[in-house]
């Protein structure tokens, strides 16, 4: 593209549907470079490795698959369209932290085949719209084939109506640590306090521990 008054190059690079998208350079009217790099949706690409979703930016933030740490702040993603929450496209993600009171309309949560993920932390009363009094037979939490996971922490009242909890299932329906050799901490709810996490789900633990004993 060119400046209409001078005819000098304004942008030289890749386009998608008429928008700057991909690799490209932006220049001033004297030919000096203003930005040279990646573009997404007609704007310079924020290749930050740590991204935070907030109630203010959740509809405009542009997430990408190079993120290494993703934080979803309290009270986010409570739109009815969030019935399926799937994180597997974030292939470089190492830490996933979800705050309190998030994703209340979610029915299915998938965290699988993420080989770099080491930490999964979910706050209080997330993925929980109805409370433990209601059993949602269509709801499921699946976290498996994440071989580097070291920490799974889920706070009180989260997933309270979920019907299925499937963590590292290998060949059976039982919760198995054969595919989680590095898991050190598994915390669901709070000991000594009403928690109701996965109130309607079965839990069984099987497998051998090859590293630090599980807490």
């Amino acid at each position: 593209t060119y400046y209409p008054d001078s005819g000098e190059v304004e942008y030289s690079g890749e386009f998608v549907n008429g928008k700057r998208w991909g690799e490209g350079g932006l220049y001033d009217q004297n030919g000096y470079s203003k930005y040279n790099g990646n573009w997404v949706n007609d704007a310079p690409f924020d290749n930050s490795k740590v991204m935070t979703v907030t109630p203010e930016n959740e509809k405009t933030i542009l997430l990408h698959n190079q993120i290494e740490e993703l934080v979803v702040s309290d009270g986010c993603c409570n739109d009815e369209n969030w019935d399926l929450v799937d994180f597997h496209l974030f292939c470089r993600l190492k830490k996933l932290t979800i705050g309190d009171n998030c994703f209340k309309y979610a029915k299915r949560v998938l965290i699988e085949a993420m080989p770099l993920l080491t930490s999964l932390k979910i706050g209080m009363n997330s993925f929980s719209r109805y409370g433990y009094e209601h059993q949602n037979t269509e709801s499921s939490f699946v976290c498996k084939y994440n071989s580097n996971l070291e920490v799974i922490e889920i706070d009180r009242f989260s997933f309270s109506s979920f019907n299925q909890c499937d963590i590292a299932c290998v060949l059976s329906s039982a919760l198995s640590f054969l595919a989680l050799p590095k898991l050190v901490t598994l915390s669901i709810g709070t000991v000594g306090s009403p928690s109701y996490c996965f109130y309607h789900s079965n839990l069984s633990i099987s497998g051998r521990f090859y590293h630090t004993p599980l807490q």
Side-chain angles (χ1 to χ4, degrees):
T1 59
Y2 301 86
Y3 287 102
D5 51 349
S6 66
E8 295 294 329
V9 174
E10 176 194 22
Y11 170 81
S12 176
E14 298 176 307
F15 287 85
V16 174
N17 294 329
K19 295 182 178 181
R20 291 170 286 192
W21 207 308
E23 294 185 2
L26 184 68
Y27 304 90
D28 64 18
Q29 296 202 46
N30 295 314
Y32 292 104
S33 176
K34 296 172 64 176
Y35 173 79
N36 198 334
N38 290 314
W39 295 76
V40 173
N41 200 27
D42 223 31
F45 175 54
D46 178 9
N47 62 350
S48 171
K49 302 299 184 185
V50 179
M51 302 192 76
T52 301
V53 179
T54 67
E56 293 74 27
N57 73 8
E58 67 172 65
K59 294 186 182 299
T60 58
I61 190 171
L62 190 62
L63 303 176
H64 56 84
N65 65 359
Q66 302 301 300
I67 301 171
E68 295 182 0
E69 181 173 353
L70 177 61
V71 178
V72 180
S73 303
D74 296 348
C76 282
C77 305
N78 288 318
D79 189 278
E80 291 186 23
N81 292 326
W82 284 104
D83 57 343
L84 169 63
V85 184
D86 187 352
F87 291 97
H88 86 277
L89 291 178
F90 298 108
C91 54
R92 296 184 180 273
L93 199 65
K94 297 179 180 178
K95 294 183 179 181
L96 174 58
T97 303
I98 298 173
D100 301 340
N101 302 296
C102 297
F103 298 103
K104 71 176 183 179
Y105 284 98
K107 296 179 181 178
R108 185 162 172 78
V109 182
L110 302 177
I111 303 171
E112 56 183 340
M114 302 175 66
L116 301 182
L117 188 66
T118 62
S119 174
L120 170 62
K121 296 183 179 181
I122 298 173
M124 186 168 60
N125 203 40
S126 288
F127 304 98
S128 181
R129 179 187 177 193
Y130 301 102
Y132 74 96
E133 297 92 347
H134 175 82
Q135 180 181 7
N136 188 346
T137 57
E138 298 178 349
S139 61
S140 60
F141 170 73
V142 178
C143 176
K144 59 184 179 180
Y145 312 132
N146 307 306
S147 57
N148 277 302
L149 255 180
E150 299 173 3
V151 175
I152 299 175
E153 294 182 359
I154 300 173
D155 209 342
R156 294 177 297 160
F157 311 117
S158 290
F159 303 100
S160 57
S161 65
F162 270 50
N163 187 58
Q164 178 183 352
C165 175
D166 184 1
I167 301 178
C169 177
V170 182
L171 297 175
S172 68
S173 60
L175 186 154
S176 169
F177 297 105
L178 292 174
L180 286 173
K182 296 185 179 180
L183 191 67
V184 175
T185 301
L186 174 62
S187 174
I188 300 177
T190 301
V191 175
S193 176
S195 297
Y196 302 110
C197 301
F198 300 107
Y199 186 78
H200 299 279
S201 301
N202 293 323
L203 173 67
S204 63
I205 298 175
S206 65
R208 296 171 56 190
F209 303 101
Y210 299 99
H211 296 281
T212 307
L214 182 70
Q215 298 177 357

